[in-house]
Amino acid sequence: MANIVVNGNTYETDEEGYLVNLADWNKDIAIYIAKVENVEMTDQHWEVIDFLREYYDEYQIAPAVRVLTKAIGKKLGADKGNSQYLYELFPYGPAKQACKIGGLPKPTGCV
């Protein structure tokens, strides 16, 4: 287990950098993890993060990229529900990287 320190508080992460305690998550932690991941957060990034967190609250699972793409397309429109758009926002894998920034567990099926 590893730790990150944000605003003087220490948070436990797993060996891949995902938060261990999902309740610890806040936007400051998201911004910190995004910096480590070389992602500069914009409104479009937050829209995906918010969507993922709502999805997780409802289904208690972090969606794999195919499910994520389809679900975003239904809710936010086809222009956002496609792999190209999501990979532009999260180049190291939209589901995997966005879940990490969003304080969610690694999606099932992600390597």
Side-chain angles (χ1 to χ4, degrees), residues 8-111:
N9 296 311
T10 303
Y11 303 96
E12 190 177 2
T13 61
D14 68 13
E15 62 280 347
E16 294 184 72
Y18 290 84
L19 279 179
V20 171
N21 183 356
L22 304 184
D24 285 345
W25 186 86
N26 61 51
K27 287 202 172 188
D28 290 336
I29 291 172
I31 291 166
Y32 174 88
I33 295 171
K35 267 187 195 158
V36 171
E37 292 283 314
N38 294 314
V39 172
E40 191 170 324
M41 297 297 285
T42 64
D43 289 344
Q44 290 79 16
H45 290 90
W46 287 116
E47 186 175 48
V48 173
I49 297 296
D50 291 341
F51 175 86
L52 273 170
R53 291 188 59 80
E54 288 170 19
Y55 185 98
Y56 188 85
D57 283 345
E58 186 172 341
Y59 299 105
Q60 298 300 300
I61 189 168
V65 70
R66 247 185 248 152
V67 175
L68 172 64
T69 303
K70 200 174 199 177
I72 283 185
K74 277 185 182 172
K75 184 165 184 188
L76 304 177
D79 56 327
K80 294 180 180 179
N82 67 73
S83 295
Q84 181 180 350
Y85 174 79
L86 294 172
Y87 271 96
E88 285 172 11
L89 294 175
F90 302 100
Y92 296 111
K96 189 174 167 181
Q97 195 172 35
C99 282
K100 184 186 284 189
I101 294 168
L104 300 173
K106 185 176 178 180
T108 52
C110 283
V111 198

